[in-house]
């Protein structure tokens, strides 16, 4: 089914503080057990490029923590953004509809 093709990638924008152990704890805390999920951290040198490519704003605060906008982005198989939303607290009907359309292809 189309759903089997769906992959979810959660990326941190704070690779200096978010160690692999911390990301593993994040997965356990949020019950992320599916092989379709990848929780990862980019290299420190690629965070700015990654954030810009996904249209996510962030800033490093004086205490070193990262304040960032959260977003969901739907990418096609070539890595191009099909649609995105910053509405991460509630299902965004337009984003959900775009995911459903993509899964029907």
């Amino acid at each position: 089914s189309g759903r089997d093709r769906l992959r979810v990638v959660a990326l941190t924008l704070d690779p200096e503080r978010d160690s692999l152990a911390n990301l593993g704890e994040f997965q356990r805390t949020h019950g992320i057990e599916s092989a379709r999920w990848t929780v990862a951290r980019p290299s420190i040198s690629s965070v700015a490029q990654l954030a810009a490519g996904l249209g996510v704003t962030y800033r490093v605060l004086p205490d070193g923590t990262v304040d960032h906008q959260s977003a969901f982005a739907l990418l096609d198989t070539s890595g191009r953004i099909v649609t995105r939303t910053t509405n991460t607290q509630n299902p965004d009907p337009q984003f959900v509809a775009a995911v459903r359309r993509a899964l029907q292809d």
Side-chain angles (χ1 to χ4, degrees):
S1 75
R3 185 179 177 139
D4 293 335
R5 295 186 338 241
L6 183 65
R7 299 291 180 263
V8 179
V9 179
L11 297 169
T12 178
L13 293 178
D14 192 358
E16 288 189 75
R17 292 181 184 230
D18 287 335
S19 66
L20 294 179
N22 290 349
L23 294 178
E25 181 61 28
F26 172 84
Q27 284 185 268
R28 284 186 292 283
T29 300
H30 290 82
I32 299 170
E33 298 174 3
S34 172
R36 292 187 307 181
W37 273 77
T38 300
V39 177
R41 62 185 189 146
S43 66
I44 294 168
S45 62
S46 65
V47 170
Q49 183 179 5
L50 174 69
L54 293 172
V56 174
T57 58
Y58 76 100
R59 64 189 171 133
V60 179
L61 300 175
D63 69 357
T65 60
V66 176
D67 178 32
H68 63 86
Q69 173 188 49
S70 295
F72 294 125
L74 175 64
L75 308 179
D76 65 16
T77 56
S78 298
R80 291 182 298 254
I81 295 176
V82 174
T83 189
R84 64 183 300 282
T85 182
T86 56
N87 182 359
T88 60
Q89 299 301 312
N90 300 296
D92 179 328
Q94 292 177 329
F95 186 82
V96 171
V99 170
R100 286 188 175 137
R101 281 191 305 275
L103 293 177
Q104 291 174 352
D105 291 343

